[in-house]
Amino acid sequence: MQTSVFPCYMVAIIVFVAMFLLAVIVSQMISFKPDRSDVAARKVWFWVFGALTLVASFGIDFLVNVNSITVPTLYSKFLIHSCIAAFSAFALYILLGIVISKSTRGKLASWF
């Protein structure tokens, strides 16, 4: 019996894209302030969505894909790939955040 772990990674990619877009939208919604207190708010929201990327990616994947598996070897295989996918999505989130932060000016440049 051949099974694919592709759904684990697909869920992680979808969550990564959704959380990153939400981080961009929220960062753009925070208005500039003369005392630069807006920078701290943007950083906090960036990291909040980063943590949500990790948690939501694993949680959704566990509830949708892994929880319904009854074969122990397949269960552990999917659980391992769910963890790898969640941490990969988090790493991509951070990496893309650094790239955008360092290559742009304006509100998104204050993430790092």
Side-chain angles (χ1 to χ4, degrees):
M1 178 164 101
Q2 191 84 17
T3 58
S4 174
V5 293
F6 178 73
C8 296
Y9 293 98
M10 198 64 212
V11 167
I13 289 170
I14 291 169
V15 170
F16 156 68
V17 169
M19 292 299 172
F20 196 81
L21 288 175
L22 283 173
V24 169
I25 290 168
V26 169
S27 290
Q28 293 295 337
M29 289 175 57
I30 298 172
S31 60
F32 283 111
K33 295 183 180 169
D35 63 350
R36 298 197 36 91
S37 61
D38 57 320
V39 173
R42 280 191 205 91
K43 288 181 182 185
V44 166
W45 279 108
F46 176 80
W47 288 107
V48 165
F49 284 116
L52 284 175
T53 299
L54 185 63
V55 171
S57 177
F58 180 77
I60 292 169
D61 202 23
F62 184 78
L63 291 174
V64 173
N65 295 323
V66 178
N67 204 20
S68 62
I69 298 172
T70 56
V71 180
T73 56
L74 290 179
Y75 183 83
S76 65
K77 176 182 175 182
F78 272 79
L79 191 61
I80 289 169
H81 282 281
S82 294
C83 291
I84 293 169
F87 281 104
S88 298
F90 180 69
L92 282 173
Y93 179 89
I94 300 301
L95 184 65
L96 188 59
I98 290 171
V99 168
I100 287 180
S101 178
K102 300 301 180 188
S103 64
T104 62
R105 298 177 108 174
K107 293 181 177 183
L108 297 182
S110 64
W111 278 349
F112 286 94

